């Protein structure tokens, strides 16, 4: 089977299964298997593939059809221009999360910064790549496996971040920060979305947080008060329909200048408040 024939068949299978990104996913999977770029797949489209490669391709296409995320198949996801390793122990970074990075950069802080529940390290590595030596960067996660992935991503991009195994603030002592960011679990325990798209394959502990999805956000907002420097911001990502509820949690905890920022689709996505 030639590369052209393999791509055509793979795209047809994915499209027939309702995969919206069928053409792109087929190209990405074959690039992954052959070490050829998407351009090279076109210029080498008459090259014959080995039976082993064809069999592996068919296995991965069927896996993708089952709903398995393309990022887990490839083992990486692009975020803020960084190629980040992802595994089933980490959430897959979403484009909407870049909103919290941009807002954090707008704050122009100079002291230590902290990312709570870092996962792949996407947010803190994006911030460190922009802030550089101007800030000390810290990140924590309760998952050892997630921290191992985050550390590997930091080494890959030569970014100096201190990673700490911690259940939210429990292992941070009395250290204070000039900025704290978090993309915590915020999905309701019985949300029907948990059975759709890629979510069934992602770690449930990084997705859900109580009956209304806000349990962890309540903990972060309350406990961050003793870890923020005077005037420092707290930024939290949340669900599209949680903006008002999260803003209320911020104000009830005494944060000032509380604001909810929308994502590119116009949905509430990040809430920020300041310790004043």
């Amino acid at each position: 089977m030639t590369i052209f024939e393999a791509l055509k068949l793979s795209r047809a299978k994915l499209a027939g299964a309702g995969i919206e990104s069928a053409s792109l996913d087929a190209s990405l999977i074959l690039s992954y298997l052959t070490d050829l770029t998407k351009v090279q797949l076109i210029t080498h489209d008459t090259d014959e593939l080995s039976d082993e490669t064809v069999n592996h391709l068919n296995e991965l296409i069927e896996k993708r059809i089952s709903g398995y995320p393309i990022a887990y198949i490839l083992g990486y996801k692009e975020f803020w221009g960084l190629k980040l390793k992802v595994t089933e122990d980490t959430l897959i970074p979403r484009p909407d999360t870049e909103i919290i990075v941009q807002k954090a950069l707008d704050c122009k802080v100079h002291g230590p910064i902290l990312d709570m529940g870092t996962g792949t390290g996407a947010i803190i590595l994006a911030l460190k790549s922009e802030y550089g030596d101007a800030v000390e960067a810290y990140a924590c996660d309760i998952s050892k496996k997630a921290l191992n992935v985050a550390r590997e991503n930091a080494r890959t991009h030569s970014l100096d971040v201190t990673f700490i195994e911690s259940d939210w603030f429990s292992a941070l002592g009395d250290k204070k920060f000039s900025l704290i960011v978090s993309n915590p679990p915020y999905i309701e325990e019985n949300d029907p979305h948990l059975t759709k798209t890629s979510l069934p394959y992602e770690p449930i502990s990084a997705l859900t947080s109580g009956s209304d999805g806000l349990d962890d956000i309540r903990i972060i907002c309350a406990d961050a008060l003793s870890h923020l420097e005077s005037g420092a911001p707290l930024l939290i990502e949340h669900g599209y329909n949680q903006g008002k509820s999260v803003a209320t949690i911020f104000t009830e905890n005494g944060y000032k200048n509380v604001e909810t920022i929308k994502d590119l689709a116009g949905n509430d996505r990040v809430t920020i408040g300041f310790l004043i």
Side-chain angles (χ1 to χ4, degrees), residues 221-251:
C221 281
D223 292 353
L225 294 170
S226 59
H227 292 277
L228 284 167
E229 297 173 353
S230 179
L234 170 67
L235 298 91
I236 295 181
E237 179 173 337
H238 49 73
Y240 72 96
N241 60 347
Q242 296 174 324
K244 291 182 179 179
S245 297
V246 174
T248 297
I249 294 171
F250 269 69
T251 55

Side-chain angles (χ1 to χ4, degrees), residues 1-11 45 48-49:
M1 183 180 291
T2 66
I3 287 176
F4 174 81
E5 292 169 335
L7 279 175
K8 184 178 180 180
L9 181 59
S10 298
R11 288 166 178 163
D45 64 349
E48 292 282 339
L49 296 170

Side-chain angles (χ1 to χ4, degrees), residues 100-118:
I100 199 171
V101 174
Q102 185 57 63
K103 191 64 179 179
L105 291 172
D106 291 343
C107 293
K108 296 181 172 60
V109 300
H110 299 286
I113 62 176
L114 172 67
D115 176 22
M116 304 291 296
T118 194

Side-chain angles (χ1 to χ4, degrees), residues 12-273:
K13 286 182 178 179
L14 291 170
I19 304 296
E20 294 181 0
S21 54
S23 181
L24 175 60
D25 287 2
S27 296
L28 288 172
I29 292 171
L30 194 54
S31 290
Y32 165 72
L33 291 175
T34 60
D35 288 327
L36 296 174
T37 66
K38 286 188 285 185
V39 172
Q40 289 173 324
L41 290 178
I42 297 172
T43 58
H44 292 260
D45 64 349
T46 58
D47 289 4
E48 292 282 339
L49 296 170
S50 69
D51 290 343
E52 181 182 2
T53 299
V54 171
N55 290 336
H56 198 182
L57 173 64
N58 288 333
E59 290 173 3
L60 293 182
I61 292 298
E62 290 302 319
K63 202 169 186 178
R64 181 71 186 104
I65 287 173
S66 74
Y68 196 73
I70 187 70
Y72 286 162
I73 291 174
L74 303 177
Y76 74 88
K77 178 71 174 180
E78 297 276 349
F79 181 85
W80 201 264
L82 302 172
K83 186 176 181 179
L84 302 177
K85 176 180 178 178
V86 297
T87 73
E88 291 184 358
D89 299 307
T90 65
L91 285 186
I92 300 167
R94 266 70 169 180
D96 284 342
T97 299
E98 293 191 351
I99 301 297
I100 199 171
V101 174
Q102 185 57 63
K103 191 64 179 179
L105 291 172
D106 291 343
C107 293
K108 296 181 172 60
V109 300
H110 299 286
I113 62 176
L114 172 67
D115 176 22
M116 304 291 296
T118 194
T120 59
I123 295 174
I124 197 65
L125 294 176
L127 291 175
K128 184 63 176 177
S129 73
E130 297 288 347
Y131 274 122
D133 293 336
V135 302
E136 293 179 42
Y138 295 81
C140 67
D141 204 291
I142 196 172
S143 167
K144 290 182 179 179
K145 292 180 178 179
L147 286 173
N148 287 337
V149 173
R151 290 189 180 102
E152 184 174 340
N153 284 326
R155 288 193 297 269
T156 297
H157 295 285
S158 301
L159 295 170
D160 185 13
V161 176
T162 299
F163 293 98
I164 303 166
E165 183 182 345
S166 182
D167 183 1
W168 299 127
F169 293 95
S170 63
L172 297 180
D174 57 0
K175 189 167 183 61
K176 291 184 180 289
F177 301 90
S178 64
L179 177 144
I180 297 176
V181 295
S182 183
N183 178 16
Y186 56 73
I187 298 177
E188 298 174 14
E189 288 176 344
N190 298 315
D191 192 306
H193 290 92
L194 292 170
T195 62
K196 299 177 181 178
T197 63
S198 67
L199 295 184
Y201 300 93
E202 299 186 67
I204 191 68
S205 62
L207 291 169
T208 62
S209 182
S211 60
D212 64 356
L214 300 175
D215 284 0
D216 286 311
I217 290 177
R218 292 187 181 95
I219 293 171
I220 294 168
C221 281
D223 292 353
L225 294 170
S226 59
H227 292 277
L228 284 167
E229 297 173 353
S230 179
L234 170 67
L235 298 91
I236 295 181
E237 179 173 337
H238 49 73
Y240 72 96
N241 60 347
Q242 296 174 324
K244 291 182 179 179
S245 297
V246 174
T248 297
I249 294 171
F250 269 69
T251 55
E252 287 178 345
N253 278 280
Y255 293 90
K256 305 300 182 184
N257 301 326
V258 176
E259 176 190 4
T260 298
I261 299 99
K262 296 184 182 298
D263 60 24
L264 297 177
N267 296 314
D268 289 348
R269 186 58 56 192
V270 173
T271 294
I272 181 173

